Amino acid sequence: MSNPYIKINNLHKSFGNLDVLKGISTTIDKGEVIAIIGPSGSGKSTFLRCLNLLETPTSGQVWIGSDELTAKGTDIMKVRQNVGMVFQHFHLFPHKTVLENVTYAPITVKGVEKNVAEKQAINLLKSVGLSDKANQYPNRLSGGQKQRVAIARALAMAPDVMLFDEPTSALDPEMVKEVLDVMKSLAHTGMTMAIVTHEMGFAKEVADRVLFLDGGVLVEDVPPEEFFLNPSSQRARDFLDKVL
Ligand code: ADP
Ligand code: MG
């Protein structure tokens, strides 16, 4: 029997009378890399945000490990510590150095000692190729460098899951690869990842599974080969005709 790490059961999210997620059910195994693809406004960000409670699901259940996020009284801060998130627009602290950006949450949220947090941060910055930028401020960095800092910052909390919401969409084309390469290495470490992306080549190469959302409905939930070569739905075929 398989024992999925993340379970999503009949997830609904509405804003007022706008139904954005209309009953999403799927599972994600430990170490799986999921690409979430779909037209603008289809609910991709909302879906991702329900996985770390940046949005509160309207109904349905989400489990990560043995924790039910949708249970009453769930410790939202604890969930967010375990589920790192990387945004399209980086969201770095502008008045903190790169090193301070990476050490801030471990020190203030987890109570890690400063010198220990700094050592870990230096190692993480090394792993994203930025150890020489530790003392810079974000406004001195390129977009690709900012996004790699944001990834290091999320990893500093030692999460079990990483969520990425269009991490390369705000980057100049020449910087996309350096960020995708960092994500690819992270995938190879066995990190469980859910990535909203328009990078079809990356999804094809790195994802274990593609979730195709359209109008708040999970239309396809299949391996990338199947999604890109032989999608079963007309909606996916129409979408791929436009983007490929
Ligand atoms: P995607 O990421 O696929 O582009 P989103 O999840 O951002 O889609 O949005 C899906 C729909 O939900 C859109 O119609 C959007 O306007 C709406 N929406 C998203 N967030 C909110 C919110 N906080 N309040 C009201 N409507 C929202
Ligand atoms: Mg979005």
Side-chain angles (χ1 to χ4, degrees), residues 15-16 18-21 38-47 49 55 165-166 196 213:
F15 296 104
L18 180 67
D19 285 335
V20 174
L21 301 180
S40 176
S42 57
K44 303 180 299 294
S45 295
T46 304
F47 174 68
R49 292 161 65 86
E55 299 292 355
D165 195 354
E166 299 197 31
V196 175
L213 282 183

Coordinates of all heavy atoms in Angstrom, one line a residue, residues 15-16 18-21 38-47 49 55 165-166 196 213, ligand 1:
F15 N -13.8 32.8 -2.7 CA -13.7 34.1 -2.2 C -15.1 34.8 -2.4 O -15.5 35.0 -3.6 CB -12.6 34.9 -3.0 CG -11.3 34.4 -2.8 CD1 -10.7 33.6 -3.8 CD2 -10.6 34.6 -1.6 CE1 -9.4 33.1 -3.7 CE2 -9.3 34.1 -1.5 CZ -8.7 33.3 -2.5
G16 N -15.8 35.0 -1.4 CA -17.2 35.5 -1.5 C -18.0 34.4 -2.3 O -17.9 33.3 -2.0
L18 N -17.3 33.7 -5.4 CA -16.4 33.2 -6.5 C -15.8 31.9 -6.1 O -15.0 31.8 -5.2 CB -15.3 34.2 -6.8 CG -14.3 33.9 -7.9 CD1 -15.0 33.8 -9.3 CD2 -13.2 34.9 -8.0
D19 N -16.2 30.8 -6.8 CA -15.6 29.5 -6.5 C -14.3 29.3 -7.3 O -14.4 29.2 -8.5 CB -16.6 28.3 -6.9 CG -17.8 28.2 -5.9 OD1 -17.6 28.6 -4.8 OD2 -18.8 27.7 -6.3
V20 N -13.2 29.3 -6.6 CA -11.9 29.3 -7.2 C -11.4 27.8 -7.3 O -10.9 27.4 -8.4 CB -10.9 30.2 -6.5 CG1 -9.5 30.0 -7.1 CG2 -11.4 31.6 -6.6
L21 N -11.5 27.1 -6.3 CA -11.1 25.7 -6.3 C -12.4 24.8 -6.1 O -13.1 25.0 -5.1 CB -10.1 25.3 -5.2 CG -8.8 26.1 -5.3 CD1 -7.8 25.7 -4.2 CD2 -8.1 25.9 -6.6
G38 N -1.4 25.5 -15.8 CA -2.8 25.9 -16.2 C -2.9 27.4 -16.6 O -2.0 28.1 -16.3
P39 N -4.0 27.7 -17.2 CA -4.2 29.1 -17.6 C -4.2 30.1 -16.5 O -4.5 29.7 -15.3 CB -5.5 29.1 -18.4 CG -6.0 27.7 -18.4 CD -5.1 26.9 -17.6
S40 N -4.0 31.3 -16.7 CA -4.0 32.4 -15.7 C -5.4 32.4 -15.1 O -6.4 32.3 -15.9 CB -3.7 33.7 -16.4 OG -3.9 34.7 -15.5
G41 N -5.5 32.5 -13.8 CA -6.8 32.6 -13.2 C -7.4 31.2 -12.9 O -8.6 31.1 -12.4
S42 N -6.7 30.1 -13.2 CA -7.3 28.8 -13.0 C -7.3 28.3 -11.6 O -7.9 27.3 -11.3 CB -6.6 27.8 -13.9 OG -5.2 27.7 -13.7
G43 N -6.6 29.0 -10.7 CA -6.6 28.7 -9.3 C -5.2 28.1 -8.8 O -5.2 27.5 -7.7
K44 N -4.2 28.2 -9.6 CA -2.9 27.5 -9.3 C -2.3 28.1 -8.0 O -1.9 27.4 -7.1 CB -1.9 27.7 -10.4 CG -2.4 27.2 -11.8 CD -1.3 27.4 -12.9 CE -1.0 28.8 -13.1 NZ -2.1 29.7 -13.7
S45 N -2.3 29.5 -7.9 CA -1.7 30.1 -6.7 C -2.6 29.8 -5.5 O -2.0 29.5 -4.4 CB -1.6 31.6 -6.9 OG -0.7 31.9 -7.9
T46 N -3.9 29.8 -5.7 CA -4.8 29.6 -4.5 C -4.6 28.2 -4.0 O -4.5 27.9 -2.8 CB -6.2 29.8 -5.0 OG1 -6.4 31.1 -5.5 CG2 -7.2 29.6 -3.8
F47 N -4.4 27.2 -5.0 CA -4.2 25.8 -4.6 C -2.9 25.7 -3.7 O -2.9 25.1 -2.7 CB -4.1 24.9 -5.8 CG -3.7 23.5 -5.6 CD1 -4.6 22.7 -4.9 CD2 -2.5 23.0 -6.0 CE1 -4.2 21.4 -4.6 CE2 -2.1 21.7 -5.7 CZ -3.0 20.9 -5.0
R49 N -1.3 28.0 -2.1 CA -1.4 28.7 -0.9 C -2.2 28.0 0.2 O -2.1 28.2 1.4 CB -2.0 30.1 -1.1 CG -0.9 31.0 -1.9 CD -1.6 32.2 -2.6 NE -2.1 33.2 -1.6 CZ -1.4 34.1 -1.0 NH1 -0.1 34.3 -1.3 NH2 -1.9 35.0 -0.1
E55 N -3.9 30.6 2.4 CA -5.3 30.7 2.3 C -5.9 29.6 3.1 O -5.4 28.5 3.2 CB -5.7 30.5 0.8 CG -5.2 31.5 -0.2 CD -5.7 32.9 -0.1 OE1 -6.6 33.1 0.8 OE2 -5.2 33.7 -0.8
D165 N 5.8 29.4 -6.4 CA 4.8 30.0 -7.2 C 5.4 30.9 -8.4 O 5.7 32.0 -8.1 CB 3.8 30.8 -6.4 CG 2.5 31.2 -7.1 OD1 2.4 30.8 -8.3 OD2 1.6 31.7 -6.5
E166 N 5.5 30.3 -9.5 CA 6.1 31.0 -10.7 C 7.4 31.7 -10.3 O 7.6 32.9 -10.5 CB 5.1 32.0 -11.3 CG 3.8 31.4 -11.7 CD 3.0 32.3 -12.7 OE1 3.7 33.1 -13.4 OE2 1.8 32.2 -12.7
V196 N 4.4 25.8 -9.3 CA 3.6 26.4 -10.3 C 4.5 27.0 -11.4 O 5.4 27.9 -11.0 CB 2.6 27.5 -9.8 CG1 1.9 28.2 -10.9 CG2 1.7 26.9 -8.8
L213 N -4.6 22.4 -14.0 CA -5.8 23.0 -13.5 C -6.4 23.9 -14.5 O -5.8 24.6 -15.3 CB -5.4 24.0 -12.3 CG -5.1 23.4 -10.9 CD1 -4.9 24.5 -9.9 CD2 -6.3 22.5 -10.4
Ligands
ADP1 P1 -3.7 31.5 -11.0 O1 -2.6 31.5 -10.0 O2 -3.9 30.2 -11.7 O3 -3.5 32.6 -12.0 P2 -5.2 32.4 -8.8 O4 -5.3 31.3 -7.8 O5 -4.3 33.5 -8.4 O6 -5.0 31.9 -10.2 O7 -6.7 33.1 -8.9 C1 -7.8 32.3 -9.2 C2 -9.1 33.2 -9.2 O8 -9.3 33.6 -7.8 C3 -8.9 34.5 -10.0 O9 -10.2 34.8 -10.5 C4 -8.6 35.5 -8.9 O10 -9.0 36.8 -9.3 C5 -9.3 35.0 -7.7 N1 -8.7 35.4 -6.4 C6 -7.4 35.0 -6.0 N2 -7.2 35.4 -4.8 C7 -8.2 36.2 -4.4 C8 -8.6 36.9 -3.2 N3 -7.7 37.0 -2.2 N4 -9.8 37.5 -3.2 C9 -10.6 37.4 -4.3 N5 -10.4 36.7 -5.4 C10 -9.2 36.1 -5.5

